[in-house]
Amino acid sequence: MANGVAAFLLELPDTKSKRLEPLLFAIIQAAGWPIWPLLLASIIAVALIIERGVTLRSNKINPPTLLDQVLAVYQRQGVNAEILDKLAKDSPLGEVLAAGLRNHKSSRYVMKDAVEEAGRTVAHEMERFLTTLGTIATAAPLLGLFGTVIGMIEIFGSQSPTGTNPQQLAHGISIALYNTAFGIGIAIPALIFYRHFKNKVDGFVVDMEQQAAKLIDIVHGERAGG
């Protein structure tokens, strides 16, 4: 009996999705051609948010046990080109630590400069696409305002000496309201995620600096390992 009910439910048409598709099409049609840049911006924003969310994971950027492993290898057998290349490819933190260890025989200041240079490169890489996301957050309301202006032009165009064209008037109002709403609706999450990822990158950079400073101190005998 239960199997029969389940089979019957599976055979039922998905009326909700069928109702949703014409509704979305009707909204896009009512919003007019100015909505297309906003739709493109929303697709790009969603793609960037997903990409940065996957990339900027803590265990992928700053593996929690990496420094201890590096120190153990360094104190046990030193470093060589193969180990350094493998470390640099491990993670952004590994790239920073490898830059310091390549200069472990140099002075503390040379080693620190190498670490800072690698840190700037890594930070720039982690901030990739964030400028685009921030630009979308800023531009989306302006695109919505542009659609509003187009709608206002439609509204004024509906006026004529013989009277008002109700259909053109309604279309102009739809363009103005929908584009304004879409612009704000895209800008708010884009700005939230931009700030979130920016703060996350800043936190990663601070953590890298602390771990690199600990490495430098241990290499130059100014701090005990562990």
Side-chain angles (χ1 to χ4, degrees):
M1 179 68 180
N3 292 336
V5 172
F8 173 74
L9 291 175
L10 289 174
E11 292 175 358
L12 286 176
D14 190 356
T15 56
K16 185 177 180 180
S17 62
K18 288 184 177 180
R19 288 197 305 268
L20 186 60
E21 289 177 7
L23 177 62
L24 292 175
F25 180 75
I27 291 174
I28 293 173
Q29 192 174 28
W33 65 265
I35 199 67
W36 291 107
L38 283 169
L39 290 176
L40 178 61
S42 67
I43 293 171
I44 295 173
V46 170
L48 294 181
I49 289 170
I50 294 173
E51 191 276 338
R52 287 292 88 185
V54 171
T55 301
L56 297 177
R57 290 177 295 173
S58 181
N59 60 347
K60 188 175 181 180
I61 302 295
N62 287 350
T65 61
L66 182 61
L67 178 60
D68 293 335
Q69 295 173 0
V70 169
L71 291 174
V73 172
Y74 175 77
Q75 293 170 344
R76 184 173 64 249
Q77 66 186 64
V79 294
N80 54 50
E82 183 180 353
I83 291 176
L84 292 177
D85 289 341
K86 185 177 179 180
L87 177 61
K89 295 176 182 178
D90 177 84
S91 61
L93 175 60
E95 187 175 345
V96 172
L97 298 179
L101 288 176
R102 285 193 179 93
N103 298 273
H104 70 283
K105 293 183 179 179
S106 303
S107 68
R108 174 187 176 88
Y109 301 103
V110 172
M111 191 174 179
K112 184 179 179 181
D113 286 342
V115 165
E116 290 177 350
E117 183 178 348
R120 285 192 293 269
T121 302
V122 166
H124 178 74
E125 182 65 22
M126 288 191 294
E127 290 179 350
R128 187 177 60 170
F129 302 137
L130 291 188
T131 300
T132 304
L133 189 59
T135 301
I136 291 174
T138 304
L142 297 178
L143 290 172
L145 180 60
F146 174 73
T148 303
V149 173
I150 298 298
M152 296 299 292
I153 293 173
E154 287 271 344
I155 291 173
F156 286 116
S158 66
Q159 308 294 325
S160 67
T162 58
T164 302
N165 184 337
Q167 186 175 2
Q168 189 175 356
L169 176 63
H171 185 57
I173 294 173
S174 296
I175 292 176
L177 294 180
Y178 277 124
N179 279 277
T180 302
F182 268 82
I184 296 173
I186 293 169
I188 291 174
L191 181 60
I192 290 173
F193 278 101
Y194 169 76
R195 294 292 187 185
H196 169 69
F197 290 138
K198 190 75 173 174
N199 184 65
K200 204 170 187 180
V201 169
D202 291 341
F204 286 145
V205 170
V206 171
D207 190 32
M208 287 181 189
E209 289 176 351
Q210 293 174 346
Q211 297 200 53
K214 183 178 179 181
L215 174 68
I216 293 171
D217 289 344
I218 292 174
V219 168
H220 287 277
E222 297 176 15
R223 182 187 296 185

